[in-house]
Amino acid sequence: DTGVSQDPRHKITKRGQNVTFRCDPISEHNRLYWYRQTLGQGPEFLTYFQNEAQLEKSRLLSNRFSAERPKGSFSTLEIQRTEQGDSAMYLCASSLLIGNEQFFGPGTRLTVL
Amino acid sequence: QKEVEQNSGPLSVPEGAIASLNCTYSDRVSQSFFWYRQYSGKSPELIMSIYSNGDKEDGRFTAQLNKASQYVSLLIRDSQPSDSATYLCAAPSYNQGGKLIFGQGTELSVKP
């Protein structure tokens, strides 16, 4: 399978715990994006990387959220001190440097109890 | 006005009919447009992209872009029950890298 992969697919955690999600993009893609989607809404942008550089962060991304892409390949998204409002589907997408077609992974569904 | 707007639906069409999904956009997005299909509980799947005025056809799908009216649409011919899903319209934010701005999606139901 050469598509975008994400792990875990589902995560249930208690309020106040830290969680970390991983995304492996399509291998030749330079850009990697994180989005968050809640029920009935379209995905909302969180942050993106071009190679290992984090080029933009949304105002939605509070200081409890951090993302890395240390070697320009896979990326991690960490949420510290989770809140119930963090419950959502976290989507990763990747694209080539040129062009904007983004391909999504299967997502990680987070439930904060 | 939101950057990208869609009617949330639901849109219900009989099997075999043409489904027409619409999207309007503001000046705050770049004029490249993408249609994604999202089945319940799944992630978005890219089905069409359109960059220039006019129509673009791919199988049963036709994307239409009218820049003067700031309007983009997706037509699905010979709709099938398997087309029942939420359809998301998206465009890159103007001057802000490659991030996509999504509409809230239109739910399509194709009745047998």
Side-chain angles (χ1 to χ4, degrees):
Chain A
D1 184 11
T2 57
V4 179
S5 62
Q6 291 187 247
D7 184 70
R9 299 287 301 274
H10 303 274
K11 179 69 177 179
I12 299 174
T13 191
K14 293 183 179 179
R15 186 162 52 102
Q17 297 296 304
N18 298 345
V19 294
T20 300
F21 309 142
R22 176 180 170 125
C23 172
D24 287 86
I26 294 170
S27 59
E28 64 268 28
H29 284 187
N30 307 92
R31 287 185 172 178
L32 185 149
Y33 305 81
W34 286 98
Y35 294 84
R36 180 171 66 187
Q37 187 177 25
T38 53
L39 197 63
Q41 301 299 315
E44 293 179 297
F45 170 79
L46 294 178
T47 188
Y48 94 95
F49 294 84
Q50 183 167 302
N51 299 313
E52 66 275 11
Q54 187 174 18
L55 296 187
E56 187 182 350
K57 291 172 60 172
S58 166
R59 286 170 293 177
L60 292 174
L61 212 64
S62 78
N63 55 11
R64 296 184 299 105
F65 288 71
S66 62
E68 294 182 338
R69 194 182 183 197
K71 297 182 180 179
S73 56
F74 73 92
S75 175
T76 58
L77 177 69
E78 181 182 16
I79 309 174
Q80 296 182 325
R81 304 181 304 281
T82 52
E83 303 173 355
Q84 287 184 326
D86 297 330
S87 295
M89 174 81 90
Y90 289 83
L91 295 162
C92 176
S94 69
S95 73
L96 291 169
L97 185 60
I98 302 301
N100 288 309
E101 289 191 340
Q102 296 182 21
F103 299 90
F104 283 85
T108 295
R109 182 167 297 283
L110 173 66
T111 302
V112 182
L113 301 176
Chain B
Q1 182 191 4
K2 291 183 180 179
E3 290 112 322
V4 178
E5 290 196 83
Q6 298 179 253
N7 290 327
S8 59
L11 173 67
S12 183
V13 300
E15 184 174 357
I18 296 175
S20 177
L21 303 154
N22 305 313
C23 176
T24 58
Y25 62 91
S26 74
D27 293 334
R28 289 176 285 162
V29 299
S30 295
Q31 295 186 358
S32 304
F33 296 92
F34 306 94
W35 284 99
Y36 287 83
R37 177 176 63 199
Q38 187 172 28
Y39 292 113
S40 181
K42 303 297 184 182
S43 64
E45 174 192 8
L46 180 65
I47 55 172
M48 288 286 285
S49 56
I50 186 165
Y51 302 97
S52 54
N53 255 345
D55 296 359
K56 179 182 177 183
E57 186 174 321
D58 183 0
R60 295 187 297 112
F61 298 99
T62 299
Q64 299 176 317
L65 175 57
N66 183 327
K67 293 185 178 182
S69 301
Q70 295 186 298
Y71 180 93
V72 59
S73 64
L74 179 70
L75 302 179
I76 306 174
R77 291 182 299 283
D78 188 25
S79 295
Q80 301 297 309
S82 59
D83 295 324
S84 298
T86 296
Y87 289 80
L88 296 159
C89 174
S93 176
Y94 187 75
N95 275 345
Q96 287 189 303
K99 76 176 188 182
L100 291 179
I101 306 296
F102 285 83
Q104 69 179 86
T106 298
E107 183 183 352
L108 172 66
S109 177
V110 181
K111 302 295 187 184

